[in-house]
Amino acid sequence: MKNAIYIFIIIVYLLSSLNSYSAVTSHGEINVVGETVGIVPASSTVPLIVTLSVDRSLAVPGEEIKTIEITMPNGFVTQVSDFKSVTRDGVKLSATAVVSGGNVLRVELTEVINDSQNSIFDITFDSRTPNNIFLAEFSVQLRNPDDVPVGEYIREGQADSKLNNDDFTLQIIPNVPPGPVSNFTAEADKNGENDVTLRWKNSTDPDVNGYLIYRDKDFQIQVENRASTTYRDINVTPGDHLYEITAYKTILLQSDRSPIQTVKVTEDTAAPDPPTIIGIDRIDEGIKVTWKPSESRDTTKYHILFGSSESTALEQLVDGEIPVNSSTNSTSEYEYIDRRPLTVGSYTYAVIAIDEADNKSAPVTKRYRIFNKPYPNPFTPLSNDSDFNMVVFPIQTIDDSDGEFSVLLYNLNGVLVKTLTAQLGENELRWDGKNENGDIVESGIYLYQLQVGNSFKTGTIIVAK
């Protein structure tokens, strides 16, 4: 009898374990729409968004999704009319909302999800928050057409690819707005830019998360740092503008607006700063031009200019327009690849920055030479000019050859002073006039043997200190 009881318990445990297991794996988070922190004021109506990352690649029969059930902590109250939408990978789905107990929102999909696609679901709805202060924990569960749970409650985790509240909790804080921002000023740029510099005294309220700046009565800028005291509003439309500022604990809980500051903004006549640190490299696809971005924040694009030794003017290349990566505004380096076949000669590449008013910066330029023999010859290792303080050995010195690329350098006594070996894909080797010990060799004539595969060519190089 006792053994039968044990077996029964084991069977029940196994059945319950199987029931909770799911091949559909999911994680998600809850946020306040427009917020980056999971904070809501008590006794207020807040717009919420639940984001779920659902992996159905291994889904089995019985794991179709019909309902997304969101259970809110006691004190949160929502109504059917508060349900806004549910989307799958940005596409709105047909669904109806059912609310039970005031705090359980069931989003019932018109069409059952039964494919094996991995997706991001967003459910947006409004909810009334409780009167008391606490850390509110939510839970979300998927249910199939028979209203059976598809696995356990969805685990918390980053799902919306944003730096915000990445779990299923919201912190409820007192519904007390912060004090107004003081010492707020607005000043138009005096150097030809259509920018406005805003300054204020930072809030000492520890619950303040940042500031909201209003231009012409409408919200424009969110400064997400309580310690901030300045902001530069760039590319402002010329004309008279009104500025105000508030401090906020949440977007829904902000201070009264500051006194209005009126600013007259003029047309943008200032050229942007030029890009910096231009580089040129030969790669398999062509000539790669790289540069560091302009420090001017109103730069919208870059133009690549080109000229040869036969022409004095630099002209923009047909495909030589590179837009600024405005989505992140943090690109550390830009590049352009010139895929045209270039013959032996001397060329100049240039990059200019252009702002929204089509003002152009001064060009930053770099020369590039394609040789069929070592250049320069003679060369001066101690020169400050990078075009003359090392000799370049181009692979083109030997035509139509393939294989390892190397250069051996000897003095007139036949003593090997330096070996240069190219890495895979390198098309030229450079000698800075130093021997294997790192010392600059004496002035004079040196012999070189350039070898590509089984082909080689010899010649002389003059070192002039």
Side-chain angles (χ1 to χ4, degrees):
M1 181 66 179
K2 185 180 294 185
N3 290 338
I5 293 175
Y6 286 156
I7 293 172
F8 175 76
I9 293 173
I10 292 173
I11 291 173
V12 171
Y13 172 76
L14 290 174
L15 288 175
S16 63
S17 297
L18 289 173
N19 188 53
S20 64
Y21 170 78
S22 173
V24 176
T25 58
S26 310
H27 62 272
E29 57 186 296
I30 188 168
N31 286 284
V32 181
V33 176
E35 294 273 13
T36 59
V37 292
I39 299 175
V40 294
S43 303
S44 62
T45 299
V46 295
L48 300 178
I49 178 168
V50 171
T51 303
L52 309 176
S53 176
V54 180
D55 183 351
R56 291 187 47 80
S57 58
L58 300 177
V60 298
E63 295 185 330
E64 300 82 7
I65 300 174
K66 172 64 175 178
T67 302
I68 302 173
E69 185 178 82
I70 302 169
T71 302
M72 297 174 285
N74 290 331
F76 279 80
V77 178
T78 191
Q79 301 176 8
V80 170
S81 59
D82 291 326
F83 170 67
K84 303 302 180 184
S85 67
V86 55
T87 64
R88 185 186 190 191
D89 297 329
V91 178
K92 187 174 181 179
L93 302 180
S94 175
T96 58
V98 177
V99 175
S100 61
N103 69 327
V104 177
L105 173 65
R106 291 169 51 91
V107 179
E108 298 181 354
L109 306 177
T110 303
E111 295 187 9
V112 174
I113 303 295
N114 56 15
D115 55 43
S116 58
Q117 179 179 331
N118 300 337
S119 302
I120 300 294
F121 290 82
D122 285 313
I123 304 97
T124 54
F125 61 98
D126 291 342
S127 177
R128 183 75 179 175
T129 61
N131 298 329
N132 52 325
I133 311 305
F134 67 104
L135 181 64
E137 296 185 2
F138 295 71
S139 59
V140 182
Q141 195 165 52
L142 304 177
R143 292 181 173 272
N144 69 13
D146 295 325
D147 207 25
V148 174
V150 179
E152 299 179 339
Y153 287 106
I154 295 176
R155 59 187 173 85
E156 64 184 40
Q158 167 63 257
D160 63 0
S161 301
K162 299 177 183 178
L163 294 175
N164 48 21
N165 189 49
D166 295 332
D167 58 24
F168 285 123
T169 65
L170 293 175
Q171 178 66 54
I172 305 173
I173 63 173
N175 197 344
V176 179
V181 179
S182 60
N183 298 356
F184 180 58
T185 62
E187 181 182 22
D189 185 83
K190 298 178 181 178
N191 298 311
E193 293 282 6
N194 56 333
D195 300 344
V196 176
T197 300
L198 308 169
R199 297 183 176 88
W200 62 90
K201 183 179 180 181
N202 63 320
S203 173
T204 58
D205 186 335
D207 291 330
V208 165
N209 285 299
Y211 306 91
L212 303 176
I213 296 171
Y214 295 82
R215 185 206 302 156
D216 301 328
K217 301 295 184 179
D218 296 324
F219 167 68
Q220 294 289 328
I221 304 138
Q222 182 175 354
V223 181
E224 299 177 347
N225 186 349
R226 180 170 59 85
S228 297
T229 58
T230 61
Y231 182 85
R232 189 172 179 87
D233 192 12
I234 65 172
N235 295 347
V236 181
T237 304
D240 291 333
H241 294 280
L242 310 177
Y243 283 91
E244 300 166 279
I245 190 172
T246 69
Y248 73 90
K249 296 180 179 180
T250 76
I251 300 299
L252 305 170
L253 193 60
Q254 53 184 287
S255 70
D256 292 335
R257 297 191 187 187
S258 66
I260 294 175
Q261 300 293 310
T262 303
V263 179
K264 184 177 183 62
V265 179
T266 60
E267 297 282 349
D268 184 356
T269 59
D273 294 330
T276 58
I277 316 180
I278 185 172
I280 297 180
D281 295 288
R282 182 172 179 178
I283 59 176
D284 290 342
E285 294 87 348
I287 308 301
K288 183 172 75 171
V289 183
T290 59
W291 64 95
K292 298 292 184 181
S294 167
E295 293 185 357
S296 297
R297 290 182 291 179
D298 63 345
T299 299
T300 59
K301 57 188 174 183
Y302 298 96
H303 282 177
I304 317 301
L305 311 181
F306 176 83
S308 65
S309 56
E310 289 77 24
S311 62
T312 57
L314 296 175
E315 296 184 356
Q316 181 185 340
L317 293 173
V318 173
D319 59 345
E321 181 171 297
I322 308 297
V324 167
N325 187 353
S326 57
S327 60
T328 60
N329 201 29
S330 60
T331 301
S332 60
E333 185 174 86
Y334 288 85
E335 72 172 40
Y336 165 84
I337 298 178
D338 186 358
R339 304 179 188 276
R340 301 172 303 163
L342 299 178
T343 59
V344 172
S346 178
Y347 305 97
T348 299
Y349 287 91
V351 183
I352 62 173
I354 302 173
D355 67 16
E356 85 292 349
D358 209 33
N359 296 309
K360 298 177 175 61
S361 76
V364 54
T365 63
K366 185 85 170 181
R367 281 192 292 175
Y368 180 74
R369 296 185 178 92
I370 299 178
F371 311 116
N372 57 3
K373 60 182 179 180
Y375 183 89
N377 190 12
F379 79 105
T380 307
L382 298 179
S383 172
N384 293 324
D385 190 336
S386 60
D387 287 331
F388 294 98
N389 60 12
M390 62 177 60
V391 60
V392 179
F393 295 92
I395 198 171
Q396 296 96 319
T397 301
I398 299 177
D399 295 328
D400 302 324
S401 294
D402 191 23
E404 186 178 83
F405 174 29
S406 63
V407 174
L408 304 178
L409 292 145
Y410 302 86
N411 62 22
L412 291 179
N413 295 323
V415 177
L416 179 66
V417 297
K418 186 69 176 179
T419 299
L420 306 172
T421 303
Q423 300 296 317
L424 183 65
E426 283 189 305
N427 296 296
E428 61 185 30
L429 289 168
R430 297 171 182 264
W431 184 39
D432 57 5
K434 296 179 181 179
N435 59 24
E436 297 290 5
N437 295 324
D439 301 320
I440 295 179
V441 300
E442 297 296 328
S443 298
I445 299 174
Y446 290 82
L447 306 175
Y448 71 83
Q449 178 179 300
L450 187 150
Q451 185 166 345
V452 181
N454 295 322
S455 302
F456 65 90
K457 190 169 185 177
T458 60
T460 59
I461 291 291
I462 298 176
V463 176
K465 289 186 178 181

